[in-house]
Amino acid sequence: MKKILLLGDIHANYPALKAIGQLIKPDRFDRIINTGDFTVYSTFPNETIQWFRKRKKTICILGNTDRKILRILNGKKLKKPKKEEKRVMYFWTSENLLPKNIAYLKSLPEKADFTVGRFRIGVFHGTLEDPDEELFPSAPESRFRQLAKDSPYQVQIMGHSHVPYYKVVDGIHFINPGSVGRMFDSDPRASFAILKIFSKKIAVEHYRIPYAVEAVIADLNNQKLPVIYAKMFRVGKKLN
Ligand SMILES: [Fe+2]
């Protein structure tokens, strides 16, 4: 049996990532997956990226927030988001990232795949077809069937919707570990998943664990960043 740690949508919330790391001993896993969105909306992008940089056996991809940060750093204009409070978070991140961490982000792909035993596994931020597609578990069955049709992957791991789920449609396993660091469902705890791969079957376990939310809020306040984010982390809900 191989054990794979599934993480995603950390959004620079290092206290949440650290709490997971302390609970489950990440180096014991055969692989550590990150479905992207390392950055933006909390103040620990460097610590978050370094957590992955110092580890072996990681498979990490970029999310939409990371891609936007790289665009800003390349001197491009930030068209979206339009809301000022969101833009502040993007520009704060691009100004505070350390060169080695920028280089690491630049080295990452937008999707990845790997094989464990008989299972071919794809890793996407949105979906196999579109890195910006938010695939919620409530999406019509027909959408899952389209993504299952001719899929070269028996397992599709995704992020971006921030909703943890595991669905099997037409024999294809769709897994979203939820968001480590930016919850949308009124539960402020960190979300992650463990994928166990046996010779002929797989199993998925989802977890929610508490972390030091107040540490995130204190640093947002220290940096004089928009107060709406402090509120969001406290209630575990999207407010903008
Ligand atoms: Fe995200």
Side-chain angles (χ1 to χ4, degrees):
M1 190 265 286
K2 299 277 183 206
K3 265 173 95 173
I4 299 172
L5 176 59
L6 306 183
L7 305 170
D9 295 286
I10 300 166
H11 288 286
N13 187 339
Y14 180 68
L17 178 62
K18 191 172 146 192
I20 294 170
Q22 285 171 341
L23 183 76
I24 47 96
K25 298 194 173 62
D27 297 324
R28 284 195 188 163
F29 285 79
D30 296 290
R31 298 266 190 187
I32 301 172
I33 309 297
N34 180 356
T35 63
D37 279 3
F38 289 79
T39 58
V40 186
Y41 299 118
S42 183
T43 54
F44 306 97
N46 289 306
E47 293 84 345
T48 299
I49 292 170
Q50 280 152 210
W51 192 93
F52 288 92
R53 269 183 49 211
K54 72 176 186 193
R55 290 196 151 76
K56 296 187 179 96
K57 300 188 281 189
T58 58
I59 295 176
C60 299
I61 61 169
L62 296 172
N64 51 299
T65 60
D66 309 319
R67 283 186 279 121
K68 282 200 175 88
I69 291 297
L70 292 179
R71 278 178 61 85
I72 294 170
L73 291 166
N74 279 332
K76 302 252 170 62
K77 280 211 172 108
L78 184 69
K79 288 180 196 153
K80 278 184 178 175
K82 288 217 177 346
K83 276 195 182 119
E84 190 51 34
E85 67 216 20
K86 288 192 169 185
R87 298 177 73 82
V88 167
M89 300 308 288
Y90 275 92
F91 288 113
W92 183 93
T93 304
S94 61
E95 283 158 20
N96 283 278
L97 268 185
L98 295 170
K100 273 191 172 177
N101 296 332
I102 294 169
Y104 176 81
L105 279 187
K106 282 183 177 170
S107 77
L108 295 180
E110 287 185 17
K111 56 185 174 182
D113 52 31
F114 63 108
T115 302
V116 180
R118 63 167 65 188
F119 293 95
R120 188 91 189 113
I121 302 165
V123 183
F124 313 100
H125 186 64
T127 64
L128 168 129
E129 287 179 355
D130 177 1
D132 292 324
E133 179 179 355
E134 286 184 304
L135 187 69
F136 293 98
S138 56
E141 190 85 349
S142 58
R143 183 61 190 133
F144 283 94
R145 298 194 102 150
Q146 281 170 348
L147 292 165
K149 193 172 179 280
D150 305 324
S151 172
Y153 310 108
Q154 290 80 51
V155 182
Q156 297 184 20
I157 300 170
M158 298 158 299
H160 196 41
S161 71
H162 293 213
V163 179
Y165 64 92
Y166 172 39
K167 249 175 133 82
V168 185
V169 177
D170 292 341
I172 306 298
H173 303 260
F174 295 90
I175 308 167
N176 191 319
S179 172
V180 168
R182 192 174 185 235
M183 297 31 137
F184 290 169
D185 62 357
S186 303
D187 178 350
R189 295 176 301 164
S191 179
F192 69 99
I194 294 173
L195 168 63
K196 291 179 178 168
I197 302 183
F198 302 90
S199 61
K200 289 182 184 164
K201 61 169 193 159
I202 72 166
V204 180
E205 297 162 2
H206 284 99
Y207 295 89
R208 295 296 284 265
I209 66 157
Y211 73 96
V213 181
E214 293 307 319
V216 175
I217 292 167
D219 208 50
L220 282 165
N221 292 339
N222 257 343
Q223 304 286 341
K224 304 203 170 12
L225 289 165
V227 290
I228 191 167
Y229 292 103
K231 200 172 172 194
M232 268 189 259
F233 285 107
R234 187 169 280 132
V235 297
K237 205 172 168 183
K238 195 176 187 181
L239 299 172
N240 68 354

